[in-house]
Amino acid sequence: MSTNETKQYFDLHTTGIGYLNRIREVTPKEGNPFLSVTIAALRGSVDNAQYTHFECRVSGKQAQEIVRQLKPAVEGNQKVLIGFTLSDLFAESFTFKNGDKAGETGISLKARLLRIAWAKVDGQPFYTAQEDAA
């Protein structure tokens, strides 16, 4: 057996279209600060679209740059629609603290935002990723 074996991984990527929300820097008690966003991903019929919310740690360098550029638009309540790629999706349970659901258990979908393929602000093109040269 070779001692120089490279670790291999199974990648689970999720692609979609959704609205970018809640851009924030998170500073955990332990560990390094990171950029975080919420994506309200569109699903279902175009005539009756529904949303699935993802809490994302922005991991990709390109995604971090674009999210930071889009932050003023999001904070200005403009509609920011993106094409995205997520990785490492998992669910985490929590207990609602306030409101009608106080005390009930909820589920939060979490992932890493790897890439933004394109972005529109209030329907106007803002960013389109350059395809990698082959």
Side-chain angles (χ1 to χ4, degrees):
M1 291 199 95
S2 172
T3 59
N4 290 337
E5 290 183 27
T6 303
K7 284 189 177 185
Q8 296 181 340
Y9 299 92
F10 293 105
D11 291 328
L12 173 61
H13 290 164
T14 303
T15 60
I17 296 170
Y19 291 100
L20 192 60
N21 297 293
R22 295 186 61 224
I23 299 171
R24 61 221 181 264
E25 292 284 342
V26 176
T27 305
K29 291 180 182 179
E30 295 183 22
N32 297 322
F34 59 91
L35 184 61
S36 181
V37 300
T38 301
I39 296 175
L42 295 159
R43 63 180 172 82
S45 168
V46 174
D47 298 332
N48 187 23
Q50 296 182 29
Y51 298 95
T52 298
H53 293 84
F54 296 98
E55 296 297 326
C56 302
R57 179 183 200 131
V58 185
S59 297
K61 183 178 178 183
Q62 171 262 18
Q64 289 175 1
E65 291 173 9
I66 301 308
V67 165
R68 285 191 170 99
Q69 290 175 26
L70 290 166
K71 188 173 182 179
V74 171
E75 289 177 344
N77 293 321
Q78 293 178 284
K79 290 188 177 192
V80 177
L81 187 66
I82 62 171
F84 60 83
T85 302
L86 304 179
S87 178
D88 301 333
L89 177 65
F90 68 98
E92 187 173 87
S93 65
F94 66 93
T95 303
F96 285 97
K97 305 269 187 228
N98 303 311
D100 295 342
K101 295 184 179 183
E104 293 181 25
T105 300
I107 299 294
S108 177
L109 295 177
K110 299 191 175 195
R112 293 187 309 129
L113 175 59
L114 296 182
R115 183 173 183 274
I116 295 176
W118 54 267
K120 292 183 179 182
V121 176
D122 285 340
Q124 298 302 308
F126 179 86
Y127 170 80
T128 302
Q130 301 296 319
E131 293 298 322
D132 295 330

